[in-house]
């Protein structure tokens, strides 16, 4: 279960920043900050990680191999705003002309963020991360449900997400970020 990490020494909850987060000793735990609150994120299971690996392997030909950008997987710290640092399961960064890369541990908000929900993080992905990604201007957000074997796709309009649908089986995921994407949802699940 995902809970605020109240036991971790540091600033009061609500006042965590990337700098205070980066100063944490390496205890081999995963943390994220949303609105200045430090959360301890449970380690994913093997089924979750296999889904993440499949998604990355299918997206690379559409993004990396076409020169459009990069596909990365957690753990990588994404600083959405000073008090919000997340580690999306999968993120797509489209290249922009003249853009300088930031250090690997802190990257700009992705064009596409993908979260593979687990029982301990599903509500967090659907509420806190959803709101944080929208505020940061992440244009597209997918929530992958490993139990139902489906993917809900959200597109940003203004500063709010709207769902364009839940897709499963042989359905192709419609993507604004990757308009030529031609992968059936079932391929993302082992």
């Amino acid at each position: 279960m995902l809970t605020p990490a109240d036991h971790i020494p540091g600033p009061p909850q609500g006042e965590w920043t990337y700098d205070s987060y980066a100063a944490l000793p390496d205890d081999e735990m995963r943390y994220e900050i949303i609105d200045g609150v430090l959360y301890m994120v449970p380690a994913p299971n093997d089924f979750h990680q296999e889904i993440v690996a499949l998604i990355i392997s299918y997206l690379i030909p559409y993004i990396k191999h076409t020169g459009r950008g990069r596909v990365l997987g957690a753990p990588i710290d994404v600083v959405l705003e000073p008090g919000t640092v997340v580690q999306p399961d999968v993120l797509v960064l489209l290249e922009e002309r003249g853009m300088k890369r930031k250090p690997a541990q802190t990257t700009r908000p992705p064009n596409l963020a993908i979260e593979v929900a687990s029982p301990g993080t599903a509500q967090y992905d659907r509420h806190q991360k959803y709101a944080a990604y929208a505020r940061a201007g992440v244009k597209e957000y997918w929530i992958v449900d490993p139990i139902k074997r489906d993917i809900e796709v959200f597109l940003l309009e203004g500063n709010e997400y709207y769902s364009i649908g839940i897709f499963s089986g042989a359905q192709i995921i419609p993507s604004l970020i990757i308009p030529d994407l031609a992968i059936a949802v079932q391929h993302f699940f082992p």
Side-chain angles (χ1 to χ4, degrees):
M1 183 69 161
L2 185 78
T3 58
D6 296 330
H7 64 286
I8 301 297
Q13 289 290 32
E15 296 181 20
W16 281 85
T17 64
Y18 179 74
D19 290 338
S20 52
Y21 164 87
L24 286 172
D26 184 5
D27 62 3
E28 298 185 13
M29 302 301 289
R30 289 182 55 207
Y31 298 97
E32 292 184 333
I33 305 169
I34 301 278
D35 299 327
V37 176
L38 182 72
Y39 292 91
M40 186 164 46
V41 182
N45 63 31
D46 60 341
F47 185 60
H48 176 282
Q49 291 302 87
E50 191 171 0
I51 292 168
V52 168
L54 285 168
I55 292 170
I56 290 171
S57 71
Y58 277 105
L59 292 183
I60 284 175
Y62 289 91
I63 304 298
K64 179 70 174 171
H65 295 166
T66 60
R68 291 180 179 163
R70 299 182 291 156
V71 180
L72 303 170
I76 183 168
D77 292 336
V78 177
V79 181
L80 298 177
E81 51 194 18
T84 301
V85 181
V86 295
Q87 294 185 1
D89 289 320
V90 179
L91 60 125
V92 172
L93 293 165
L94 299 179
E95 297 298 336
E96 297 171 5
R97 290 194 187 276
M99 182 185 75
K100 292 184 180 180
R101 284 190 180 182
K102 291 185 179 180
Q105 70 273 17
T106 59
T107 186
R108 65 184 167 86
N111 301 90
L112 166 62
I114 303 171
E115 296 291 351
V116 178
S118 63
T121 66
Q123 290 302 313
Y124 177 71
D125 293 340
R126 192 160 287 281
H127 298 287
Q128 287 97 327
K129 278 193 167 178
Y130 175 98
Y133 288 143
R135 280 194 314 268
V138 176
K139 292 179 176 32
E140 192 167 325
Y141 179 38
W142 299 0
I143 297 179
V144 179
D145 187 325
I147 305 302
K148 294 179 182 174
R149 301 174 71 86
D150 64 27
I151 299 174
E152 186 166 9
V153 177
F154 298 93
L155 297 179
L156 192 65
E157 188 172 282
N159 59 359
E160 299 268 332
Y161 280 124
Y162 68 95
S163 174
I164 61 170
I166 299 173
F167 305 90
S168 62
Q171 292 178 303
I172 304 297
I173 298 174
S175 174
L176 180 66
I177 299 304
I178 317 164
D180 57 338
L181 186 66
I183 302 167
V185 173
Q186 64 198 11
H187 293 299
F188 292 135
F189 298 97

